C-alpha cells in the first residue's frame, strides 16, 4: 500500500456540510461540489471559495488513499441518482445559451489539460538545469556526499517530468519537452505564487538555499525523525433573476493557481483536482448522471490515450524513485503521490515514498536532503525533542542536527551566474564549447521526447548524454571568463 502524503493544508481533513470524514468531525460549507461545477449563477467569490475548499478535500482524500471516505464525499455532494438527475436537467434548462456554450460541460478539457500539464512539465524541467549546474560545478573528488544528494534529486526530477508525460499520454495529449517554448529561461520564477528566482549558479550556500525554497513543503509540521535499527447539501439551483456567468475558464483556473499556489506540491494538488473535475464531467456526459464512487470515475472518460505510449518501470534507466504508468485515475494518483512524496515527504514524515535508495534503507524527501547539505548535518540520529510538540510533530524548518555532513563550500568553480551563449561570442573556443553543450542537452531532451511519443528504447540514450553533459560542463566551468568568473553551461535552445 502506498504511504499517505503529508496533509498539506490543515491537520484535519474536512468534508462538506453533513458529511463525516473522520470521527466526530463535521464541517459545514456553503457551496457544494455540484454547485461549484454546474451552477453558472454563483458569484466569483463563492466559486473561488468553493474551489479552495473542494480541491483541498478531494485531493486529501484520493492522494491519501481514503477511497471509502471519497465515496462518502461524492455521495454527500451529488446525492441519490434521482435527485442529481432532476437537478442537473433543471439547471441545463435554466442556463442561458451563451453559458451552455462556454460552461464546464462544454469546456475543451484536452486544451485546458494540455496547458496545465505542460506547465507541470515546465516546473519539473526548470529545476533540472539548476541542480545539474550546481552538481557539475563541484570540483572532482570534493563534496562527495553533497554531490550524491544533488545527483539523486536531479535524476528524480527527470523521473517526475517523464511521469507527467505519462499523464498527458493517458489523456491522449502529446507531451512536449524539446521545443524552444519548453525551455526555461534563467533567472526565472516558477509559474506559481512565489517570491524567489531560480537560476544557474555554482554550488554555494545561495544555490542550495534556492533549492530548499523550490522544494518547500506546504505543511508547516512534520513528524520528528526517529530512526530505529449529514445533513442534505444546499441545492445549487438559484432564482432565474440571478445573472448567469461562467467561471470555469482556463484563464480563471490558471489565475487561481497564480494567486493561491505557493509550492510545487500545491500545484499538483490543484492540477489533480482539475483532472478529477474533467473526469466527473466526462462521466456525466457518458452516463447522464453524476458519479457516486471512485470505481465509476477510475477508468474511461478522459483516459483515452494509447497505453503503448506509456513509459514503464522496466524501460526507465534512472536510479531512485518509482516510475508509474498511467491508464486510469488510479495511475494519476500514483504519479502525484510519488512526485509529492519525493519532494516534500510522505506519511507526515521527512522520508520519501520509496525508502530503498537512502542510507540504511531510508531516503529523505528533496527538501530535507537539501537542508542536510545547507546545515552540514544529517537528520538521522539527531535530537529534536526541543522542537517537538506533544504529538511528536516539529516545524519543517527545524534544521538537522544529527551526525556531521562535511561540506567544503569553496571547492566549486566560480561560474558566472546565469551565463548566456552570447557571453562567449568574443571567445571562439568557449563559444563552440557552449554550443556543443547545448546541443547535447537538446539531444537528451530529444531522446525523452521520442520515448514519450512511443519509442521507449530511445530513453537508453539518456545515460550517454548525461555523461557527456558533465564532461562538457566541467570543460566550460574550468575556464576563466573574466577576472571574476569562469564560464558555465547555459542550457539554451541551440541556434543554427
Amino acid at each position: 500500500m502506498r504511504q499517505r502524503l503529508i496533509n498539506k493544508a490543515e491537520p484535519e481533513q474536512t468534508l462538506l456540510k453533513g458529511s463525516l470524514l473522520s470521527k466526530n468531525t463535521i464541517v459545514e460549507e456553503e457551496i457544494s461540489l455540484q454547485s461549484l461545477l454546474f451552477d453558472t449563477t454563483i458569484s466569483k467569490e463563492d466559486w473561488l471559495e468553493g474551489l479552495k475548499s473542494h480541491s483541498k478535500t478531494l485531493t486529501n482524500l484520493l492522494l491519501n488513499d481514503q477511497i471509502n471516505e471519497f465515496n462518502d464525499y461524492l455521495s454527500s455532494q451529488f446525492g441519490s441518482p434521482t435527485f442529481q438527475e432532476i437537478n442537473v436537467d433543471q439547471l441545463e434548462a435554466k442556463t442561458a445559451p451563451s453559458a451552455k456554450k462556454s460552461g464546464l460541460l462544454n469546456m475543451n478539457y484536452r486544451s485546458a489539460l494540455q496547458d496545465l500539464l505542460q506547465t507541470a512539465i515546465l516546473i519539473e524541467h526548470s529545476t533540472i538545469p539548476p541542480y545539474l549546474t550546481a552538481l557539475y560545478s563541484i570540483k572532482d573528488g570534493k563534496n562527495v556526499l553533497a554531490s550524491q544528494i544533488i545527483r539523486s534529486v536531479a535524476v528524480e526530477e527527470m523521473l517526475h517530468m517523464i511521469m507527467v508525460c505519462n499523464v498527458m499520454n493517458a489523456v491522449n495529449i502529446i507531451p512536449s519537452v524539446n521545443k524552444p517554448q519548453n525551455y526555461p529561461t534563467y533567472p526565472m520564477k516558477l509559474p506559481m505564487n512565489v517570491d524567489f528566482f531560480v537560476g544557474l549558479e555554482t554550488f554555494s550556500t545561495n544555490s542550495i538555499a534556492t533549492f530548499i525554497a523550490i522544494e518547500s513543503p506546504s505543511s508547516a509540521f512534520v513528524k520528528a525523525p526517529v530512526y530505529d535499527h449529514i445533513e442534505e447539501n444546499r441545492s445549487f439551483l438559484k432564482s432565474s433573476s440571478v445573472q448567469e456567468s461562467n467561471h470555469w475558464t482556463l484563464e480563471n483556473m490558471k489565475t487561481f493557481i497564480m494567486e493561491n499556489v505557493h509550492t510545487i506540491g500545491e500545484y499538483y494538488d490543484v492540477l489533480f483536482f482539475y483532472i478529477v473535475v474533467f473526469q466527473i464531467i466526462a462521466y456525466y456526459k457518458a452516463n447522464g448522471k453524476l458519479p457516486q464512487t471512485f470505481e465509476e470515475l477510475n477508468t474511461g472518460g478522459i483516459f483515452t490515450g494509447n497505453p503503448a505510449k506509456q513509459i514503464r518501470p522496466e524501460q526507465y534507466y534512472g536510479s531512485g524513485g518509482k516510475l508509474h504508468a498511467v491508464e486510469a485515475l488510479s495511475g494519476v494518483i500514483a504519479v502525484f503521490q510519488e512526485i509529492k512524496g519525493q519532494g516534500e515527504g510522505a506519511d507526515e514524515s521527512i522520508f520519501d515514498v520509496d525508502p530503498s535508495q537512502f542510507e540504511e534503507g531510508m531516503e529523505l524527501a528533496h527538501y530535507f536532503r537539501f537542508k542536510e547539505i545547507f546545515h552540514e548535518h544529517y537528520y538521522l540520529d539527531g535530537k529534536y525533542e526541543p522542537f517537538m510538540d506533544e504529538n511528536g510533530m516539529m516545524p519543517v524548518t527545524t534544521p538537522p542536527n544529527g551526525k556531521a555532513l562535511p561540506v567544503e563550500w569553496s571547492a566549486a568553480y566560480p561560474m558566472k551566474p546565469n551565463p548566456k551563449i552570447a557571453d562567449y561570442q568574443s571567445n571562439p573556443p568557449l563559444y563552440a564549447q557552449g554550443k556543443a553543450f547545448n546541443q547535447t542537452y537538446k539531444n537528451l531532451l530529444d531522446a525523452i521526447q521520442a520515448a514519450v511519443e512511443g519509442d521507449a528504447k530511445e530513453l537508453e540514450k539518456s545515460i550517454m548524454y548525461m555523461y557527456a553533459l558533465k564532461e562538457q560542463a566541467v570543460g566550460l566551468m574550468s575556464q576563466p571568463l573574466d577576472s571574476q568568473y569562469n564560464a558555465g553551461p547555459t542550457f539554451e535552445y541551440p541556434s543554427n
Side-chain angles (χ1 to χ4, degrees):
M1 178 177 291
R2 290 185 292 267
Q3 299 183 55
R4 294 191 302 112
L5 296 173
I6 292 176
N7 185 353
K8 309 174 68 52
E10 296 170 0
E12 290 189 348
Q13 300 165 326
T14 61
L15 285 185
L16 303 186
K17 188 175 182 180
S19 184
L20 190 63
L21 173 63
S22 58
K23 287 187 177 181
N24 304 319
T25 305
I26 298 179
V27 179
E28 292 189 356
E29 296 287 348
E30 289 189 21
I31 303 298
S32 69
L33 179 61
Q34 192 168 324
S35 177
L36 179 68
L37 301 187
F38 295 104
D39 187 359
T40 60
T41 66
I42 62 175
S43 68
K44 184 71 170 290
E45 180 181 7
D46 283 347
W47 184 79
L48 290 172
E49 288 303 311
L51 198 56
K52 291 178 184 178
S53 174
H54 285 285
S55 62
K56 179 176 66 176
T57 298
L58 184 151
T59 300
N60 278 335
L61 290 175
L62 287 183
L63 293 189
N64 284 291
D65 295 322
Q66 295 179 282
I67 303 302
N68 292 333
E69 291 84 352
F70 175 74
N71 292 342
D72 291 341
Y73 164 72
L74 279 188
S75 180
S76 75
Q77 295 307 297
F78 294 154
S80 67
T82 301
F83 172 81
Q84 64 181 339
E85 287 169 11
I86 291 174
N87 279 275
V88 173
D89 288 343
Q90 289 176 351
L91 175 64
E92 290 182 326
K94 290 167 57 64
T95 303
S98 60
K100 284 185 179 180
K101 292 180 181 178
S102 60
L104 185 55
L105 282 170
N106 292 285
M107 189 175 182
N108 185 338
Y109 78 84
R110 294 182 73 247
S111 176
L113 286 182
Q114 182 173 32
D115 188 297
L116 297 165
L117 285 164
Q118 275 295 153
T119 299
I121 288 178
L122 175 62
I123 291 172
E124 300 297 346
H125 190 177
S126 299
T127 67
I128 295 170
Y131 294 167
L132 290 180
T133 298
L135 173 65
Y136 296 155
S137 72
I138 297 174
K139 294 180 179 179
D140 189 39
K142 302 292 185 178
N143 293 314
V144 174
L145 297 175
S147 295
Q148 290 173 349
I149 290 174
I150 299 171
R151 182 184 299 108
S152 69
V153 175
V155 168
E156 288 174 1
E157 297 298 350
M158 197 165 295
L159 170 71
H160 297 174
M161 187 168 69
I162 291 172
M163 287 197 292
V164 175
C165 290
N166 274 352
V167 175
M168 294 187 75
N169 274 324
V171 295
N172 201 21
I173 298 171
I174 300 175
S176 182
V177 300
N178 64 341
K179 301 294 189 295
Q181 61 268 29
N182 305 133
Y183 270 62
T185 302
Y186 302 100
M188 63 172 290
K189 284 188 176 182
L190 298 179
M192 303 177 292
N193 188 3
V194 296
D195 59 2
F196 62 90
F197 284 87
V198 178
L200 304 176
E201 299 182 42
T202 190
F203 174 75
S204 65
T205 55
N206 187 67
S207 60
I208 297 299
T210 300
F211 300 166
I212 291 171
I214 290 172
E215 304 286 353
S216 292
S218 304
S219 176
F221 291 89
V222 67
K223 290 178 183 176
V226 177
Y227 184 65
D228 301 321
H229 294 287
I230 228 172
E231 188 180 323
E232 275 196 10
N233 291 306
R234 185 184 70 174
S235 169
F236 63 81
L237 293 177
K238 301 261 186 156
S239 167
S240 59
S241 63
V242 178
Q243 184 177 1
E244 294 181 348
S245 60
N246 172 47
H247 305 307
W248 282 101
T249 66
L250 178 59
E251 181 181 2
N252 284 343
M253 294 163 72
K254 292 172 68 175
T255 298
F256 178 83
I257 289 173
M258 292 303 298
E259 293 179 352
N260 295 279
V261 170
H262 307 277
T263 69
I264 294 176
E266 286 179 347
Y267 183 88
Y268 280 104
D269 280 349
V270 176
L271 174 57
F272 179 74
F273 177 70
Y274 290 156
I275 290 172
V276 176
V277 163
F278 287 125
Q279 183 69 346
I280 289 172
I281 298 302
Y283 180 91
Y284 172 71
K285 287 182 175 181
N287 298 278
K289 62 179 183 178
L290 296 170
Q292 300 292 298
T293 66
F294 175 78
E295 288 70 24
E296 292 176 331
L297 274 183
N298 187 34
T299 58
I302 66 175
F303 295 99
T304 60
N306 183 357
K309 292 186 176 181
Q310 293 292 313
I311 305 298
R312 302 182 184 276
E314 63 272 17
Q315 298 164 327
Y316 179 67
Y317 299 91
S319 59
K322 294 179 181 178
L323 189 147
H324 299 276
V326 181
E327 297 180 25
L329 186 59
S330 57
V332 181
I333 291 173
V335 164
F336 285 15
Q337 284 179 325
E338 186 78 12
I339 291 175
K340 291 177 58 184
Q342 285 185 341
E344 60 186 36
D347 198 23
E348 298 184 332
S349 77
I350 67 174
F351 297 109
D352 191 353
V353 293
D354 179 8
S356 63
Q357 305 297 322
F358 195 63
E359 64 175 18
E360 299 186 11
M362 301 300 285
E363 182 180 42
L364 272 65
H366 298 175
Y367 173 81
F368 299 99
R369 282 185 245 177
F370 285 136
K371 283 177 69 71
E372 288 185 325
I373 297 175
F374 186 85
H375 293 283
E376 303 181 34
H377 284 82
Y378 288 103
Y379 272 97
L380 300 186
D381 298 325
K383 302 297 182 183
Y384 300 99
E385 288 80 1
F387 306 98
M388 294 165 53
D389 62 18
E390 64 276 9
N391 298 314
M393 306 295 286
M394 71 175 190
V396 296
T397 54
T398 303
N401 57 24
K403 64 180 181 180
L405 192 166
V407 177
E408 189 178 349
W409 295 105
S410 61
Y413 295 109
M415 188 195 85
K416 177 182 178 179
N418 304 306
K420 304 296 180 186
I421 195 70
D423 297 335
Y424 309 148
Q425 285 184 333
S426 61
N427 187 326
L430 273 183
Y431 186 73
Q433 286 179 266
K435 290 188 67 173
F437 177 93
N438 288 338
Q439 184 59 54
T440 301
Y441 189 65
K442 174 67 162 48
N443 293 343
L444 171 64
L445 296 180
D446 287 345
I448 295 174
Q449 184 67 36
V452 300
E453 288 185 7
D455 190 0
K457 288 185 178 180
E458 283 293 300
L459 207 56
E460 298 178 23
K461 297 179 180 178
S462 62
I463 298 176
M464 174 184 67
Y465 292 133
M466 288 294 288
Y467 280 115
L469 279 178
K470 179 179 180 180
E471 181 179 351
Q472 291 171 323
V474 172
L476 285 164
M477 292 190 215
S478 59
Q479 297 186 61
L481 180 62
D482 54 37
S483 60
Q484 184 178 6
Y485 293 115
N486 284 13
T490 67
F491 290 92
E492 293 172 280
Y493 190 85
S495 58
N496 294 330

